[in-house]
Amino acid sequence: FSQAQTTEFRTAENTRTISLPDGSEVTLNRHTVLSYGDSFGAKNRAVNLEGEAFFEVQPDSKKPFLVLAGDARVQVIGTSFNVNAYDSLESVEVVVETGVVSLQPAKGGDRRAEILAGEKGVISKSSKHIAVSVNDDLNFRAWSTQHLVFVDTDLLSVIQALEKTYNVEISTSTDVRACIVTVTFDKQSIESVMKVLENTLNLKYTINRNK
């Protein structure tokens, strides 16, 4: 898109939900850019994505919804799905919550994969290979919902999920993979979450700004 034809939304240390002209809603994760041209809704429903976003797309069989995310091209008619396409990652990941999504490389080849609800598609930026599997990450949307579910999960994996959800850095002084956690958090502060983990696992923690 040329600069004169582009509508752009950009986030920094915040998340943000926006409504598109066709009624679709997009929630942007931190440090994400979403843009689309003047023809959106009239001739097409194409958007550019840098970063991560969750899409809730209004159905329109005549105008498929298209997300151009780095090396990936994601096309749907009407569905809800999450796209993780930060430049720092070696792949683009699409998790489908409802409906069906078509995933293919942005350039070259006829490779294409259909991803169903409850599945995850990962496309390698280097090889363009597409892998589809069952999505076993219950917390793929936690960055936007702050709803976290852990079932017999090792504490290291819990920490990684908390870091992404709350935009914090958590370090440990010992190997914590042997600590197993089953707990649900719903829109709780990071202080509240850490207090629960402290009491449950007999740990000690300190907070210094976002560390």
Side-chain angles (χ1 to χ4, degrees), residues 179-206:
C179 297
I180 304 300
V181 178
T182 295
V183 67
T184 297
F185 300 110
D186 191 24
K187 295 183 173 62
Q188 293 173 239
S189 67
I190 184 62
E191 291 83 2
S192 175
V193 169
M194 295 303 296
K195 181 63 69 176
V196 169
L197 294 177
E198 180 183 52
N199 293 336
T200 303
L201 299 171
N202 194 28
L203 302 174
K204 293 297 180 184
Y205 77 93
T206 59

Side-chain angles (χ1 to χ4, degrees), residues 18-165:
I18 60 173
S19 294
L20 299 180
D22 68 335
S24 298
E25 286 201 344
V26 186
T27 302
L28 307 180
N29 201 350
R30 304 172 186 91
H31 306 293
T32 293
V33 181
L34 182 85
S35 60
Y36 56 86
D38 288 346
S39 58
F40 182 96
K43 297 180 180 179
N44 61 56
R45 294 197 295 166
V47 299
N48 279 339
L49 174 69
E50 300 171 33
E52 183 172 18
F54 182 79
F55 294 82
E56 296 178 87
V57 174
Q58 288 290 332
D60 185 344
S61 59
K62 295 181 180 178
K63 298 190 188 76
F65 193 96
L66 180 64
V67 181
L68 300 173
D71 294 275
R73 176 187 175 101
V74 182
Q75 184 168 311
V76 304
I77 291 176
T79 184
S80 58
F81 57 98
N82 193 85
V83 180
N84 189 353
Y86 284 109
D87 286 343
S88 59
L89 301 178
E90 296 179 357
S91 60
V92 176
E93 179 183 284
V94 179
V95 178
V96 180
E97 187 171 78
T98 62
V100 182
V101 163
S102 173
L103 176 64
Q104 65 184 116
K107 296 179 181 178
D110 297 324
R111 280 171 287 187
R112 181 194 301 263
E114 280 199 344
I115 311 167
L116 308 179
E119 292 184 337
K120 172 177 66 176
V122 179
I123 182 168
S124 166
K125 291 181 179 179
S126 57
S127 69
K128 312 304 180 189
H129 174 73
I130 303 173
V132 180
S133 61
V134 173
N135 174 45
D136 56 6
D137 181 6
L138 299 175
N139 301 309
F140 73 96
R141 283 192 63 195
W143 61 266
S144 64
T145 64
Q146 289 201 339
H147 182 78
L148 289 149
V149 179
F150 301 106
V151 180
D152 293 335
T153 307
D154 69 86
L155 187 54
L156 181 60
S157 298
V158 172
I159 285 173
Q160 292 170 344
L162 294 178
E163 287 182 318
K164 181 176 180 180
T165 301

